[in-house]
Amino acid sequence: MTCVLRRRVWSLVSAILLLSLLSACSSQPATVYEGLGGEPGLAAVVDNLLERMAKDEQIVRYFQDTDITLFREGLTEHLCDVADGPCEYGGDDMKATHRGLNITQADFDRLVQLLIYAMQDEGIPIAVRNDLLKRLAPMYGDVVYQ
Amino acid sequence: MIKSSVDHFIRVVFFPLFLTMVCGFGHADSRIVATGGASNIEGSAGGGVVPWAVINGYGSSDEWAVTGMATGVFVDDFTLKVIGASVSYDNRVELSFARQRLKLDSLGGDLQQDIIGLKYKVVGELLYTTMPQISVGVQYKDVDDFSLPSAVGARDDSGVDYYVAATKVFFDALWGRNVLVNGTVRATKANQGGLLGFGSERNNRYRYMKEASVAVLLTDNLAVGMDYREKPDELDFAGEDDWQDFFIGWFVNKNLSVVLAYADLGSIAGFDDQKGWYLSIEGAL
């Protein structure tokens, strides 16, 4: 029985490897930044996200004392950097910017949800969305319960 | 005795708790769609036949979630119908209940079983940490009528499964799509998941079974994948095979999901080569 399982797992693994090789051939935008639509595309996503955050009770309470113009600049620059765009994020690291806020897992989940909605709204292709999420997900540990 | 304690649990503890969750405390759904998985045939969050490390519903930290499900598995000589419900809190702990009824289409009659499940997330976050989400769980199973299980050589009419599950979502892993991978190890004495009783006349030890699932999220709401569940084969008069299924899951929104699968359950109670369709609907709050 173990042998059967091993054989099936191997056939599954080789199928996935084959599919990955095939997927490498399909054309993709050079960077996530380009996939987001460059500067205007990213700006639209950020504005959409900020509007959603402002309307979300769970999230907006963290921004009572925030200068939104500055926050927008910092967020845009950070996302541009993370997406391999022509920017270098010069702000504080994630751990420092979230210290003392005690952001919960529910807040983080909610923000991820709002970002996904914003990107869907702006017509960002699913592969680009997932690539950006892949780059942002590891920040979880530096953001929550600080 | 055991039977009445299960009924007592359901009547006195589970349903009032369930209703309180729905009506009283309210609920929340901060987690993103599909991260609660489906309800497996034993009532635990997971794939069709495999419990995963995910916690049912879409509740995150300090949030409650409740689910209800109905599942039918229609293979050549049997029909399995399951109804179940679960309550979870804090994206940490999940309490579930399922009632299974296996109709013996060719033999006549049926087999029924209650399953109470408890799952606890130990470490890791499905989407965010390098470490997979790891949960431990128990499933207490209790068969109604022991005459057929006893006739095919089973020892007990109730038993407890223990499992450890590790689940992780890999973003942008295949064609830019997210891929979920789950591995589960289960310690069990259950024959055919418990419907044919627990242990055998000559063997009453736990067996360690490996289970796995892989799913690709083709869109935000549509997943395709497979489950594989290794099974013990302890009964002299009823050979047992591993289970597998290929599924397509449609996560309509955070309140409704539908899973359609084609399942190969192998030999059951002397009937070989049992294959057929699996359909499951889950509602979540």
Side-chain angles (χ1 to χ4, degrees), chain A residues 32-50 72-87 115 118-119 122 124 132 136:
Chain A
V32 178
Y33 182 75
E34 281 174 37
L36 289 166
E39 199 183 329
L42 177 58
V45 169
V46 167
D47 288 340
N48 193 312
L49 175 63
L50 288 178
R72 183 179 180 279
E73 259 173 46
L75 179 62
T76 307
E77 192 179 70
H78 197 183
L79 289 175
C80 170
D81 190 354
V82 165
D84 294 337
C87 324
L115 175 61
M119 289 193 289
E122 300 301 328
I124 307 301
L132 185 63
L136 296 174

Side-chain angles (χ1 to χ4, degrees), chain B residues 9 14 42-44 56 85-87 94-98 115-118:
Chain B
F9 175 85
F14 197 86
E42 293 153 318
S44 307
N56 235 337
S86 79
V87 181
E94 170 191 300
L95 177 66
S96 61
F97 169 74
I115 302 171
I116 296 167
L118 188 64

